[in-house]
Amino acid sequence: MTYDHIHPRSKGGETIFANLCLACRSCNEFKADSTEAIDPLSGEKTPLFNPRQQRWSEHFAWNADATRVEGLTTTGRATIVCLRMNNPVIVVARRRWTISSWHPPDDVF
């Protein structure tokens, strides 16, 4: 895990607790300084998910075998695409974690 600025420093975001969250390194690198992305279903530009202000379960769900994140809202879908949350490497890792009973998490905020 790595620290991510929810509102990027390059866009005026501060390094304060309220603007930081933990993210896997690849998601953080794919996000870069993005704050919004295109929802692949509606084609609308929408803000990315903000873990400090939004509930994960309102925007995301796990697929049947818990290897892929599914977007429930424009924000969820746009975030999944922007952060490439279902890239092949992480899908394989989630499959292994599921077999080991490490995944999915019991409680996602």
Side-chain angles (χ1 to χ4, degrees):
M1 303 300 279
T2 184
Y3 289 103
D4 175 48
H5 287 81
I6 298 165
H7 185 77
R9 290 181 11 201
S10 65
K11 295 183 176 178
E14 297 180 73
T15 303
I16 57 174
F17 183 76
N19 190 42
L20 296 173
C21 67
L22 288 175
C24 74
R25 182 165 299 282
S26 66
C27 285
N28 194 9
E29 289 174 0
F30 289 129
K31 178 182 176 263
D33 69 348
S34 299
T35 57
E36 56 189 17
I38 303 295
D39 169 25
L41 189 61
S42 70
E44 296 176 21
K45 187 181 282 189
T46 186
L48 296 178
F49 176 72
N50 183 328
R52 293 282 182 196
Q53 298 176 351
Q54 298 169 303
R55 294 186 57 83
W56 193 94
S57 60
E58 292 176 7
H59 296 277
F60 307 99
W62 295 107
N63 71 339
D65 68 0
T67 59
R68 298 179 59 82
V69 181
E70 298 177 340
L72 304 176
T73 63
T74 57
T75 293
R77 291 186 298 268
T79 301
I80 290 167
V81 170
C82 182
L83 277 59
R84 300 182 191 152
M85 294 170 68
N86 291 318
N87 71 71
V89 173
I90 196 64
V91 169
V92 169
R94 289 181 191 137
R95 185 171 291 115
R96 290 180 181 155
W97 297 338
T98 300
I99 292 167
S100 301
S101 299
W102 296 343
H103 180 78
D106 293 330
D107 187 19
V108 179
F109 299 95

